[in-house]
Amino acid sequence: RQVLSGIAASPGVAVGRVSIFEKGHVYVPRRYVSREQIGDEEQRLHQAVEASRAQLEEIRLRVTDVHEHRLLLDAQLLMHRDELLISSKAGFDMWPGPYGIGGSRKYLIASCDQSLKRTGLDYFDIFYHHCPDDGTPIEESMRALDTIVRSGRALYVGISNYGPAATKEAIAILNSLGTPLLIHQPRYNLFDRWIEDGLSEVLQQNGVGAIVFSPLDQGLLTNKYLNGVPAGSRAARAEQIYLSEQNITAQKLQKVQA
């Protein structure tokens, strides 16, 4: 499971610690989710809320019947809306065509609107741009995030997977627009410590919070794979593009055992 450990990103916002789901906020590309799996995720969502009403990330689920519109957050959960910090993000492919991925103004705002419709929410507490888009000027992406806040779709904005230089530029642009960057969500774990090469320093110097993903390297830093790849595990699933049997090396397992 993904454990999110937050750093206070502003005097008024502190992101707590909460276990979310096996797939995180996620979006699983090229894979459809059955109604049975949806029911399981919904049950786990309620369990997470009961365990810690701190932060929930939207799970983007594609149902087998594309004509079925379903609210992820039901009325019982929405009763606790003011106790929850709910975030969503956009950046990877969400629908076919040139405007279903990236960092354009059209894509980011449309993706936010679709996420709000799926969840049945009036606004998100934080909306992230999930990854830099080389095909879109960073100014356009940041202005889109600014619009999302000023239009009431989100209270704060964040970025994810931006390197030190791009993060510094994003901070400067958002500050000039009057919508300061609240938080950055980088990948960080024992095997992937790239944020120590400049990003952490940029965040600290500018008072921007950090909340990492994949702290257990998708399960590799647990005992799950010490005796092989279990059937049904993340590494055994063909649709997984970030962890496979090839990633589970003897050298890494030695470090895990140590």
Side-chain angles (χ1 to χ4, degrees), residues 40-115:
D40 182 55
E41 293 294 343
E42 189 169 32
Q43 182 180 4
R44 293 165 71 180
L45 178 63
H46 283 280
Q47 290 172 347
V49 174
E50 291 305 316
S52 176
R53 290 174 183 164
Q55 169 162 344
L56 296 176
E57 294 227 14
E58 178 204 357
I59 296 183
R60 293 173 178 163
L61 298 174
R62 295 181 177 181
V63 296
T64 51
D65 181 357
V66 297
H67 300 293
E68 178 183 334
H69 296 285
R70 176 183 171 280
L71 298 183
L72 175 63
L73 304 180
D74 63 19
Q76 182 180 357
L77 188 59
L78 291 178
M79 288 173 58
H80 304 291
R81 178 65 185 95
D82 292 338
E83 303 170 52
L84 303 173
L85 194 150
I86 304 176
S87 64
S88 185
K89 59 175 59 173
F92 287 128
D93 53 321
M94 286 299 294
W95 58 85
Y99 304 115
I101 187 173
S104 71
R105 179 180 182 85
K106 180 176 177 64
Y107 166 71
L108 289 175
I109 293 177
S111 185
C112 182
D113 286 342
Q114 290 190 21
S115 293

Side-chain angles (χ1 to χ4, degrees), residues 170-201:
I171 290 170
I173 295 170
L174 287 168
N175 281 342
S176 71
L177 295 171
T179 302
L181 181 65
L182 178 76
I183 198 164
H184 189 302
Q185 187 182 53
R187 174 182 166 90
Y188 182 62
N189 57 62
L190 181 66
F191 295 139
D192 189 357
R193 302 176 64 171
W194 71 276
I195 70 172
E196 297 173 12
D197 295 327
L199 179 61
S200 295
E201 184 178 358

Side-chain angles (χ1 to χ4, degrees), residues 18-255:
V18 60
S19 294
I20 309 281
F21 315 97
E22 182 182 355
K23 293 180 285 301
H25 42 264
V26 119
Y27 153 56
V28 186
R30 304 173 193 87
R31 175 170 176 263
Y32 289 97
V33 182
S34 69
R35 289 180 176 80
E36 289 76 16
Q37 290 170 307
I38 287 173
D40 182 55
E41 293 294 343
E42 189 169 32
Q43 182 180 4
R44 293 165 71 180
L45 178 63
H46 283 280
Q47 290 172 347
V49 174
E50 291 305 316
S52 176
R53 290 174 183 164
Q55 169 162 344
L56 296 176
E57 294 227 14
E58 178 204 357
I59 296 183
R60 293 173 178 163
L61 298 174
R62 295 181 177 181
V63 296
T64 51
D65 181 357
V66 297
H67 300 293
E68 178 183 334
H69 296 285
R70 176 183 171 280
L71 298 183
L72 175 63
L73 304 180
D74 63 19
Q76 182 180 357
L77 188 59
L78 291 178
M79 288 173 58
H80 304 291
R81 178 65 185 95
D82 292 338
E83 303 170 52
L84 303 173
L85 194 150
I86 304 176
S87 64
S88 185
K89 59 175 59 173
F92 287 128
D93 53 321
M94 286 299 294
W95 58 85
Y99 304 115
I101 187 173
S104 71
R105 179 180 182 85
K106 180 176 177 64
Y107 166 71
L108 289 175
I109 293 177
S111 185
C112 182
D113 286 342
Q114 290 190 21
S115 293
L116 288 170
K117 183 177 180 180
R118 281 193 298 272
T119 56
L121 295 172
D122 296 322
Y123 69 94
F124 290 117
D125 294 283
I126 305 173
F127 192 79
Y128 294 84
H129 184 212
H130 191 39
C131 54
D133 176 17
D134 294 336
T136 303
I138 190 171
E139 291 85 356
E140 179 175 342
S141 299
M142 296 306 105
R143 285 185 180 278
L145 292 180
D146 175 64
T147 296
I148 286 170
V149 168
R150 292 185 183 278
S151 62
R153 293 173 170 93
L155 302 183
Y156 305 97
V157 296
I159 57 176
S160 182
N161 295 308
Y162 276 60
T167 297
K168 196 170 183 179
E169 188 175 2
I171 290 170
I173 295 170
L174 287 168
N175 281 342
S176 71
L177 295 171
T179 302
L181 181 65
L182 178 76
I183 198 164
H184 189 302
Q185 187 182 53
R187 174 182 166 90
Y188 182 62
N189 57 62
L190 181 66
F191 295 139
D192 189 357
R193 302 176 64 171
W194 71 276
I195 70 172
E196 297 173 12
D197 295 327
L199 179 61
S200 295
E201 184 178 358
V202 169
L203 298 179
Q204 290 172 354
Q205 289 175 347
N206 290 276
V208 176
I211 182 169
V212 306
F213 69 90
S214 284
L216 298 178
D217 199 9
Q218 307 209 35
L220 189 54
L221 285 166
T222 69
N223 61 1
K224 180 179 288 187
Y225 298 105
L226 293 180
N227 299 307
V229 178
S233 65
R234 183 186 294 263
R237 302 210 304 264
E239 78 278 2
Q240 291 294 326
I241 58 178
Y242 297 111
L243 181 66
S244 66
E245 293 190 45
Q246 288 69 37
N247 299 121
I248 305 174
T249 64
Q251 184 181 16
K252 286 183 176 180
L253 291 178
Q254 266 188 329
K255 291 183 177 181

